[in-house]
Each structure stands twice: as structure tokens, then as C-alpha cells.
Amino acid sequence: MRDRVYFDNASTTKTDPDVLKTYISLLQKYYVNSESLYDEGTEISRMMEKARAATAGLLEVNPDEIIFTSGSAESNSAAIKSVCLASKGRKHIVTSMIEHSSILNACRQMERLFGWQVTYVPVDENGSVHAEDVIAAIRDDTALVSIMHANNETGAVNPISEIAEYVKKKTHAYMHSDMTQSVGKIPLDLKNIDLMSISAHKINGLKGSGILMKRRHVPFEPLINGGEQEFGYRGGTANACSDMVFAKTLRLALERQKKDEAGIAKLRERLLNGLAGISGILINSPKDGLPCTVNFSYEKIPSEVMQNALNRRGFMVSARSTCESKSANTSYVLKAMGYSDARASSCIRVSLSHENTAEEVDAFIQALKEIISQYG
């Protein structure tokens, strides 16, 4: 049986062996509650704060601006709801049409339950927002602007620095960016960012672990009530050992970015060249997108059929965001880009990592040709 090839790293990543080893050793020793007043609890609390400070140092922010969460879905939800509910006298949000579902659903909830107004900024045919469209959408009563750094389906990168600079200098709104897909892949610029979400399992870390970076001046109404954990912003007993290894996860990811980015970009180019040689293949990802993501369509074969056929040949890929994988709907990201239902319902996403090889890419292209010959 052919070895299985993992081409779905935008969905989740393999846990780094060094991170896993550290986590297991911590879990075996540090099992008490970090809020306990006896020595063992105090030691865990101290180690958590050391990890928080290390994470903050890597991101060049203050330690008390790091809130440990369960991942980007929670961080995104909190960035929308917690900030907006704490922003008195404002009732407007600006976001884009291609955000992750955790952002879009939080915005819809604010509309449905609390009467907020949301402007959903369109994207161009490359899947990116234009800074001037975001700027034009901001009003006097805008509380929050939330624009993702890189899209999870196409890898399109948005002009976050330009948008954030305007929001910071020219408005009273707060700027949030979902950087889940960009961290560890392209440089981050947090200079004018008020809130930022990332998740450990996207960078070879643990599932159920993430952070929300929230600047000190940003108002915040907790989503999860409890004790005074996370500066009173997120109640509940800390997932201490996961929080402790977050800094190590982030450090290793940033080190890999510098070392492996060029190699992954070459694999992406090899994949694109192979796809260009197959008649009927349409590329949905922009040339200047993430160096690891390729989204394409073959309109004669629906996404689910293509995924299953590739799976039988040993290739693990996605179509849309994995959070939307059980939905029968077409890709709302590709529809927002102006593409047809046929193109949006036949898309496949390949997301590469430092563990993939040129031989795997070549085998994928050959398998794709065989599938198209059989089904197309």
C-alpha cells in the first residue's frame, strides 16, 4: 500500500516531537491546579508566567497582553464579542467576506442578538481585500475592524500593516487580525495591531491551545466567567501544561520559518508547474500568497469526489476550511472572489510543510492526472 502523504497542513499540523516530549514530561509532574496556594501550585503558576513572558518576547509585546485560550476559534470569538460588548456607544464592525467562520459567525451573532451593524468588505479576484475599501467602510461608531492576515482556503495575503496604520492613527476603532494561517509562514507586523489570534496546532503544537494578544488599552468583557485567571479575562482552571509549551511551539515555528520558507516555496512552485500541465485545472490561489498553499479547481469533478479519489491514492487534502468540511455548500471564499458555483464546488486545497518532498508533489500530479482521466 502506498505511503500516506499529508498535504493538509493548513487544517492542522503534526505535533513537533520536541514539543510533545516536553508536554508529556510536564503533564506527568505538574498536575495540580495552578491557582493553588501550596508550593506545587505556585511553581506551576510561575512557569506559566515564564512561558507567557517568553511568548510575549517572541511577539515583541508585553506579557500582560498575552491571554492563553483554547485556540483561534475562541480567540477570534473573544476579539469580536468581548471587545464590542465592552465598547460603549458604538454598534458597528468592519470585517471581510472571506474571514474564518469563527469571525463571521461571531459577527452574525452580534447582528442577530445585539442589533450591531456589520460591513462585510469584498475581495478582488485574487482573494485579497483592498485597504481603501476597508478604510471607506469605517464609520464614527465603528468599534472594531477585523481583517485576517492570510486566508485559510486560498493563502491570499491582506495588506494588514497598511490597514492597521490607518485604523490606529485616523480612527477610534480597535484593530484585530486573525493571524492563524500566517504565523510561522510569513513575517508578522504587530506594530499597530490591537488584538491578534493564533493557534498552536497550526504551527506543530498542541490542539486546544492558542493565544489572544490584547493590548492593555483595549476594553474587554469576558466570554468565560470564573475566577481571576488570565487577568480576569478568561475564567476556568488553566490548561497549564499546554500553556507552558506554547512559547516553545512558537519559537520553533519561527525558527523553521527562517530555515524552511524557501524550500516550501520551491515545492509550491513545483506543484503549480505540474498543475499548469493539466488541461482544465484552474488555479484559485494568487501568485503572491502564502508560500505553502495552493487552491485549484477542476470543474468536471466535485470537491468531495476528488478528495475521495485522492484519499484512495494516499493523499490527504481538503477542499474548503476544515471547519466547513461537512457543509454541502460551495466555498464562500471562492464565491466572494467572483467565481462560479462550478468552480467553487470543485476546489481542492493543498497545503505544504517542511516535511513534504518533491517526490510527493510529483506523485500527487501523477495521481491527479489518473483521476481526471478516469472521472473527468
Side-chain angles (χ1 to χ4, degrees):
M1 183 177 178
R2 181 200 294 269
D3 290 338
R4 303 286 287 171
V5 176
Y6 190 66
F7 275 169
D8 199 19
N9 291 278
S11 172
T12 195
T13 54
K14 179 181 177 182
T15 306
D16 185 284
D18 200 14
V19 170
L20 186 58
K21 181 180 178 181
T22 302
Y23 174 69
I24 291 172
S25 66
L26 288 170
L27 198 62
Q28 290 171 333
K29 181 178 179 181
Y30 297 103
Y31 56 86
V32 306
N33 194 319
S34 61
E35 297 296 303
S36 301
L37 296 181
Y38 37 78
D39 291 349
E40 290 83 354
T42 301
E43 183 180 5
I44 292 177
S45 180
R46 179 186 60 78
M47 292 178 69
M48 281 183 59
E49 294 314 307
K50 184 177 179 180
R52 193 191 309 275
T55 300
L58 290 166
L59 296 173
E60 299 182 352
V61 301
N62 297 307
D64 61 356
E65 294 175 332
I66 298 295
I67 303 171
F68 289 120
T69 70
S70 64
S72 289
E74 180 190 339
S75 297
N76 286 339
S77 293
I80 298 293
K81 300 177 198 176
S82 295
V83 174
C84 288
L85 291 175
S87 298
K88 307 301 181 184
R90 303 185 199 177
K91 298 281 283 189
H92 182 243
I93 302 166
V94 175
T95 190
S96 81
M97 297 174 68
I98 50 92
E99 299 296 313
H100 188 268
S101 57
S102 57
I103 292 288
L104 295 177
N105 287 336
C107 287
R108 290 166 187 149
Q109 194 173 48
M110 293 300 296
E111 289 178 297
R112 187 176 71 252
L113 297 181
F114 300 102
W116 280 61
Q117 294 182 327
V118 181
T119 300
Y120 299 92
V121 177
V123 296
D124 61 21
E125 66 278 5
N126 292 315
S128 299
V129 300
H130 291 184
E132 56 265 33
D133 290 338
V134 177
I135 291 168
I138 299 172
R139 310 185 324 204
D140 289 341
D141 65 340
T142 301
L144 185 73
V145 177
S146 180
I147 304 292
M148 65 182 0
H149 192 191
N151 185 259
N152 47 308
E153 291 194 24
T154 66
V157 178
N158 288 316
I160 292 301
S161 295
E162 182 181 352
I163 295 168
E165 183 177 13
Y166 180 88
V167 172
K168 187 72 171 179
K169 294 181 178 180
K170 302 291 185 179
T171 80
H172 297 291
Y174 300 109
M175 180 72 202
H176 168 254
S177 185
D178 177 0
M179 295 189 171
T180 307
Q181 292 293 337
S182 55
V183 63
K185 298 168 187 173
I186 56 177
L188 308 183
D189 179 8
L190 303 183
K191 184 172 61 175
N192 293 307
I193 300 291
D194 294 305
L195 303 112
M196 181 271 290
S197 308
I198 57 178
S199 194
H201 78 101
K202 304 290 188 179
I203 51 174
N204 302 101
L206 302 171
K207 293 174 179 62
S209 173
I211 65 164
L212 173 64
M213 188 284 291
K214 184 195 80 68
R215 300 289 188 183
R216 293 168 173 171
H217 64 274
V218 178
F220 197 86
E221 190 67 38
L223 283 186
I224 303 173
N225 298 111
E228 291 302 309
Q229 296 92 347
E230 299 303 306
F231 315 108
Y233 295 135
R234 183 183 189 267
T237 301
N239 187 6
C241 294
S242 291
D243 297 342
M244 285 184 219
V245 298
F246 190 93
K248 184 171 193 173
T249 300
L250 180 59
R251 175 177 58 79
L252 292 174
L254 296 177
E255 289 173 356
R256 274 193 303 271
Q257 176 186 328
K258 295 177 182 178
K259 182 178 68 173
D260 297 326
E261 182 179 357
I264 295 173
K266 286 183 179 179
L267 287 180
R268 181 179 188 266
E269 190 64 27
R270 190 182 190 96
L271 175 59
L272 287 170
N273 288 337
L275 292 171
I278 303 176
S279 177
I281 292 285
L282 303 170
I283 303 299
N284 304 318
S285 293
K287 291 182 179 180
D288 58 352
L290 291 177
C292 52
T293 303
V294 173
N295 189 302
F296 67 90
S297 296
Y298 183 79
E299 293 184 337
K300 295 181 181 179
I301 303 178
S303 297
E304 187 174 354
V305 175
M306 181 68 85
Q307 280 181 277
N308 288 333
L310 286 165
N311 178 51
R312 288 193 295 271
R313 286 165 173 77
F315 295 95
M316 292 175 272
V317 299
S318 292
R320 299 179 295 280
S321 165
T322 309
C323 294
E324 299 286 322
S325 64
K326 294 184 179 178
S327 168
N329 297 328
T330 59
S331 165
Y332 66 82
V333 173
L334 267 62
K335 289 292 291 179
M337 293 165 66
Y339 293 144
S340 66
D341 284 346
R343 187 163 178 173
S345 62
S346 60
C347 58
I348 292 293
R349 179 186 67 184
V350 174
S351 43
L352 306 163
S353 83
H354 61 283
E355 294 195 340
N356 293 126
T357 66
E359 290 75 19
E360 290 174 342
V361 170
D362 294 344
F364 176 82
I365 293 296
Q366 181 57 38
L368 196 58
K369 291 177 179 178
E370 293 171 3
I371 292 167
I372 289 173
S373 176
Q374 181 179 355
Y375 295 95

